[in-house]
Amino acid sequence: MPSKKTPLKASKPVSKVATVPSSLRSARGVANWKEAAQWLRARGIEDIECITPDLAGVPRGKMMPTSKFTSNTSLALPSAIYRHTISGEYPEETENFRYEPRDSDLKLVPDLSTLSVVPWETDPTAQVICDIVNSEGEAVSYTPRNLLKQIMNLYKERGWKAVVAPEIEFYLVAKNDDPDYPLHPPKGRSGRSILGGQGYSIAGINEFDELIDDIYHFSEKQGLEIDTLIHEEGPAQLEINLRHGDPIELADQVFMFKRTIREAALKHGIYATFMAKPMQSQAGSAMHIHQSVVNIETGKNVFTNPDGSPSQEFFHFIGGMQRYVPNALAMLAPYVNSYRRLAPNMSCPVNNAWGYDNRTTAFRVPVSDPQARRVENRLPSSDANPYLALAASLASGLLGIMKKVEPTAPTEDSANEGSIDLPRGLLEAIALLEGEPAFHEVLGKDFIDIYAGVKRGEFETFMQVISPWEREFLLLNV
C-alpha cells in the first residue's frame, strides 16, 4: 500500500507549481492590477509603501493597507515636496524660483513593474515606485523620474535606446550621534576598524560578511541584481556594480539599492553613507555611469560601425560630454560636500578630458569588443539623485550627437596634472546649469528654475554653520 501511494503524493506539488502564473513567482513587478492583487494576496502583504524620489532622491510617499491600494484609491502629494531642501527648509521665492500658488496636489501613479516586497520589515510589506502627474493626468516634467523619461524619449525619437550600467561607491561608518564629531570606520568581524588602502581586498569584504549576506538577501527578495561587489580604497568603502540595462530600470535599482544598503547596515548597528566625501583625507564616493546607445530595431551599438570601428556618433557623444557635462555638474555633484570629492590627488578626475582605458579622465572608454563600446562618466558622486545624474549625463551625450560636437584628442597620460577644469563649488555649478541654453531645451525651464532655487537654498543653509576649520584658524588669529 505505501509504495502505491508514494508516487501520487510526490506528483501533486509538481502540478501545482506548474499552474502558478510566472507573474506570481516574480520577485519584482507585475503586468496589471489584477496580477497585482493576486501577487499581494499570495504573499500575505498587509501594507504597501507607495514611494517616489524627490529632487534629492529621498523616497517620499504614503503607506496604506493592501485593501486600499487595490481599490483604486487616489494618492496625492503636495507640490511643495519638490521645492524643499535636503534639510527640510523652503527657500525664499526669487524671480525664477516660485511656489505653486495653491500648493495643489500632485498625483502618485504606481508603476506596477516595480512592485516588490520590503524584506527588512517585520510585517509583510510591499513597495512600489510611483510616477507623478497633475490633476489632468499629465506627467509633471520637473520630477526626477519623469525628467529621465523625457530624455529617453529624445533617444526614442531617433530610433535609439540608451543603455547604462552604474557603479555605486559607499562607506560603512560607525554610528555617529553627534554631527560635530568626525566619522570613523566601524569594527569588522576581527574586532578592529579596517584601514584605508584596501582596494579589491577580499579580506576587507570578509570583515563584513554577515552584512553583505543581508545586502544580497534583501536584494534577491526585491528582484535587484548585483553584478559584482568590491572593497574600494577608503576604509570600509565598498562598491556595487549593477548589470547594464534600461536607464529608467537602473535608476530605479540605484534608488532602491541605496535604501536597501542603509537598512542592512542599520540591522548590524552601523551606518552606510552615500555622502560624496564623508571622511577627511580619504577618497570620496562616486557613482560611475557606463553608457552606450543601441538601435532599437537592430539592437546594434550605435557607437560602432559595421566594420567594428568607432562611429561618428561615438565621437560626437564624447564631444557632448566634454562640452555639456561641466555645465550640468550641479546635477551630478549636488551638494557643497560633493565638491570636496572633486579635488586634486583624491583618485577622482578634476577635468573634462577623455581617453582610452584612462581612469584619470572624466570620460573613460573601457577596453571592450566593438559591440560593447561605451563611455564611462567618472564625474558623478554617489550622493547624486540617480534619475537626475543619468538624465544630465545622457542628455549631454545626445546633445553632442545632435549638434555634432567634436571631441578633443584622447589623453594618453594623466589628465589631472594641470588646472581644475570643473566648477569648484555649488554656486558656480548652478550658474552654469542656468546659463546653458541647450539644457533649457532638453531639461526644461521649469526643472532648472526649481532645481537651482532649491540648491541655492541649501547653500544658504550651509553658510549658517560654523566649521571646525574656522574655529581652529580664525578664532584666535584674526
Side-chain angles (χ1 to χ4, degrees):
M1 291 285 287
S3 61
K4 293 181 181 179
K5 291 182 178 179
T6 300
L8 293 175
K9 288 181 179 179
S11 64
K12 286 182 179 178
V14 174
S15 62
K16 285 182 180 178
V17 170
T19 61
V20 176
S22 60
S23 60
L24 295 189
R25 297 196 299 269
S26 171
R28 185 174 185 81
V30 295
N32 51 53
W33 282 98
K34 180 180 178 181
E35 287 187 4
Q38 294 172 335
W39 189 95
L40 294 166
R41 187 163 53 250
R43 287 159 178 75
I45 300 296
E46 298 173 2
D47 298 303
I48 302 282
E49 297 175 352
C50 297
I51 59 176
T52 194
D54 68 4
L55 288 185
V58 174
R60 306 283 176 182
K62 294 184 175 181
M63 178 181 277
M64 67 189 64
T66 301
S67 58
K68 287 282 188 182
F69 178 74
T70 54
S71 63
N72 202 26
T73 299
S74 179
L75 303 171
L77 295 174
S79 62
I81 70 162
Y82 291 100
R83 290 170 173 82
H84 68 58
T85 66
I86 192 66
S87 57
E89 297 173 327
Y90 293 89
E92 295 291 328
E93 286 190 331
T94 64
E95 181 180 352
N96 293 325
F97 175 71
R98 314 293 294 179
Y99 291 94
E100 206 279 327
R102 297 173 297 153
D103 192 17
S104 54
D105 279 344
L106 301 177
K107 293 184 178 180
L108 291 161
V109 179
D111 181 344
L112 296 179
S113 70
T114 68
L115 183 65
S116 66
V117 299
V118 183
W120 49 83
E121 289 286 355
T122 53
D123 295 327
T125 304
Q127 60 194 337
V128 65
I129 299 174
C130 300
D131 286 315
I132 301 296
V133 301
N134 61 22
S135 56
E136 283 77 42
E138 301 166 335
V140 178
S141 62
Y142 57 78
T143 60
R145 202 164 187 259
N146 286 337
L147 187 73
L148 180 54
K149 286 186 174 183
Q150 185 174 304
I151 301 303
M152 293 306 97
N153 285 336
L154 295 178
Y155 278 87
K156 188 175 181 180
E157 288 171 5
R158 288 159 178 78
W160 297 342
K161 179 180 179 180
V163 178
V164 299
E167 303 171 347
I168 313 112
E169 297 171 348
F170 60 96
Y171 273 90
L172 300 174
V173 298
K175 280 194 171 180
N176 181 289
D177 296 329
D178 191 334
D180 273 344
Y181 284 87
L183 300 172
H184 59 87
K187 293 179 180 178
R189 66 176 185 171
S190 67
R192 294 186 174 186
S193 294
I194 193 167
L195 302 176
Q198 301 296 316
Y200 295 92
S201 166
I202 297 300
I205 293 176
N206 291 342
E207 282 288 303
F208 304 100
D209 264 349
E210 292 185 3
L211 187 156
I212 290 169
D213 284 345
D214 279 332
I215 291 175
Y216 280 126
H217 175 70
F218 287 168
S219 299
E220 183 181 3
K221 290 288 187 182
Q222 296 171 90
L224 304 175
E225 187 175 2
I226 296 173
D227 193 18
T228 58
L229 187 147
I230 65 169
H231 195 287
E232 267 291 350
E233 286 297 316
Q237 185 188 30
L238 305 181
E239 175 183 290
I240 282 181
N241 299 335
L242 306 184
R243 289 183 61 82
H244 64 274
D246 175 79
I248 300 293
E249 293 178 10
L250 267 298
D252 287 343
Q253 288 197 39
V254 175
F255 177 56
M256 299 310 301
F257 264 122
K258 284 188 172 184
R259 191 179 186 211
T260 297
I261 292 165
R262 287 193 191 98
E263 291 290 342
L266 285 172
K267 180 180 174 183
H268 293 268
I270 59 179
Y271 293 153
T273 180
F274 296 87
M275 279 180 67
K277 184 77 168 179
M279 286 189 272
Q280 188 173 315
S281 302
Q282 298 293 343
S285 290
M287 182 176 65
H288 300 153
I289 303 170
H290 291 254
Q291 308 156 101
S292 60
V293 181
V294 298
N295 183 296
I296 294 173
E297 187 174 330
T298 66
K300 299 292 186 182
N301 191 333
V302 173
F303 290 167
T304 298
N305 290 321
D307 64 359
S309 62
S311 67
Q312 278 299 306
E313 287 82 3
F314 169 72
F315 290 113
H316 290 154
F317 188 94
I318 293 173
M321 299 289 284
Q322 290 187 294
R323 166 67 179 81
Y324 294 107
V325 164
N327 293 351
L329 198 63
M331 298 170 66
L332 310 176
Y335 303 102
V336 173
N337 179 262
S338 310
Y339 297 84
R340 302 189 191 282
R341 168 182 166 261
L342 296 171
N345 305 316
M346 278 294 143
S347 303
C348 174
V350 289
N351 54 73
N352 69 335
W354 77 280
Y356 293 101
D357 198 23
N358 188 339
R359 283 186 169 83
T360 70
T361 60
F363 312 116
R364 168 179 171 258
V365 178
V367 176
S368 69
D369 61 52
Q371 188 55 27
R373 183 172 277 119
R374 61 194 186 274
V375 181
E376 177 191 12
N377 184 353
R378 296 177 59 80
L379 288 178
S381 48
S382 62
D383 56 0
N385 180 327
Y387 300 93
L388 300 187
L390 286 171
S393 190
L394 292 170
S396 296
L398 182 60
L399 283 168
I401 295 174
M402 292 165 59
K403 298 178 184 294
K404 295 180 169 32
V405 180
E406 294 294 338
T408 65
T411 300
E412 301 292 341
D413 300 316
S414 174
N416 276 344
E417 298 299 326
S419 60
I420 297 177
D421 299 323
L422 302 170
R424 289 297 290 128
L426 184 59
L427 287 184
E428 182 185 350
I430 293 167
L432 289 173
L433 178 67
E434 291 177 305
E436 179 51 68
F439 286 148
H440 285 262
E441 294 174 25
V442 298
L443 300 176
K445 187 176 185 300
D446 283 349
F447 167 75
I448 291 173
D449 288 347
I450 291 171
Y451 190 76
V454 168
K455 291 298 151 186
R456 284 201 173 90
E458 289 173 351
F459 180 83
E460 292 305 325
T461 302
F462 170 81
M463 290 299 290
Q464 296 173 16
V465 179
I466 308 303
S467 70
W469 185 95
E470 292 163 279
R471 288 191 288 270
E472 181 174 354
F473 295 105
L474 303 182
L475 183 67
L476 301 177
N477 293 331
V478 297

